[in-house]
Amino acid sequence: MPDAVALRDRAFRAICDAIMAGSLRPGTEVSDTGLAACLGLDRASVRQALIQLEQAELVRVESGRYTMVSPGDLHASRVAHSVITAMHELAAQEAGPRLTPADLDAMRHANTVFDRALRADDVDAAMAADDRFHGVVLAASGNVHLRTVLKQFTPTLRRIVRMRFASLSGRDSVLQHEHIVELFAAGDLDGAVAATRTHWQTLAVLLDVLGSGPDPA
């Protein structure tokens, strides 16, 4: 039987995915009772998940009044973007000397799946493959604190990532991934770290788009 942490994480992922997919739109009021019934989970797990989502600024909670999906927050997205870029850059720095040929092959395979998903306009599959690609570097870094920080800030940026992978500009990520892998394979750690930083900084363009118009969600 799953423990309390596993159930909370399952609830967190399910609600987060619904927000990112647009099933739960900004401004939608939700309740732990309703979500628990929809997810087939207990209310305690859902309540704990909502606390995490509030910390990630994906929901707003007014105790005794309401819980609602947060409107798009450009400032929060910019902060999350800066933190996430720095964490992935640090992961690349620490992982470089540890990456094995098997790790590099795993990254190449994830990028192949990522490319196929983008060509099929399957955004969910593309995001999963992208997570696997970067997950290899995170695992190789051996730094558990990076995962903790990313777990807090990544959900805030997922909406922007979905926008990128749903657009033609998302195809650029395939080549960026290839470049990062080949730099690691060549032993060019400084180049791989710089390429990783540049890769994540490309999301700033979409943040600028959000800043010049209404929230696309």
Side-chain angles (χ1 to χ4, degrees):
M1 181 176 180
D3 61 21
V5 173
L7 291 172
R8 179 203 64 197
D9 289 347
R10 186 189 302 175
F12 176 86
R13 287 193 300 270
I15 300 169
C16 184
D17 287 347
I19 293 173
M20 295 306 105
S23 301
L24 289 175
R25 296 183 61 79
T28 301
E29 290 195 26
V30 296
S31 69
D32 52 11
T33 302
L35 289 171
C38 288
L39 299 175
L41 297 170
D42 61 285
R43 289 178 61 192
S45 298
V46 171
R47 282 197 297 269
Q48 290 299 312
L50 289 173
I51 290 172
Q52 284 188 298
L53 288 162
E54 182 183 21
Q55 292 170 346
E57 300 186 356
L58 288 179
V59 302
R60 290 181 180 176
V61 179
E62 288 290 337
S63 183
R65 296 182 59 197
Y66 63 82
T67 298
M68 63 178 281
V69 178
S70 297
D73 188 327
L74 182 60
H75 174 70
S77 294
R78 289 192 187 281
V79 170
H81 178 239
S82 296
V83 172
I84 289 168
T85 298
M87 293 301 98
H88 281 287
E89 184 178 356
L90 179 57
Q93 181 73 50
E94 296 187 354
R98 301 167 178 248
L99 286 168
T100 66
D103 290 329
L104 296 175
D105 285 344
M107 293 173 73
R108 293 187 183 100
H109 176 69
N111 197 38
T112 297
V113 175
F114 175 67
D115 186 24
R116 290 173 183 163
L118 289 177
R119 292 176 186 278
D121 294 323
D122 188 340
V123 177
D124 289 331
M127 292 183 71
D130 184 64
D131 286 343
R132 288 194 295 275
F133 177 89
H134 295 291
V136 174
V137 178
L138 287 169
S141 76
N143 190 333
V144 297
H145 301 295
L146 293 177
R147 287 187 178 277
T148 300
V149 175
L150 286 170
K151 185 176 181 180
Q152 177 181 352
F153 285 92
T154 296
T156 306
L157 208 62
R158 296 295 272 187
R159 187 180 300 170
I160 309 300
V161 175
R162 287 191 71 89
M163 285 174 58
R164 178 170 174 77
F165 292 166
S167 70
L168 291 177
S169 66
R171 307 299 191 273
D172 296 339
S173 293
V174 176
L175 295 178
Q176 291 167 12
H177 285 171
E178 288 179 357
H179 187 48
I180 291 169
V181 174
E182 295 317 311
L183 288 168
F184 275 131
D188 185 354
L189 179 56
D190 289 342
V193 171
T196 298
R197 178 175 62 251
T198 299
H199 172 63
W200 284 97
Q201 285 176 337
T202 57
L203 289 175
V205 175
L206 288 177
L207 289 170
D208 290 339
V209 170
L210 285 181
S212 65
D215 187 335

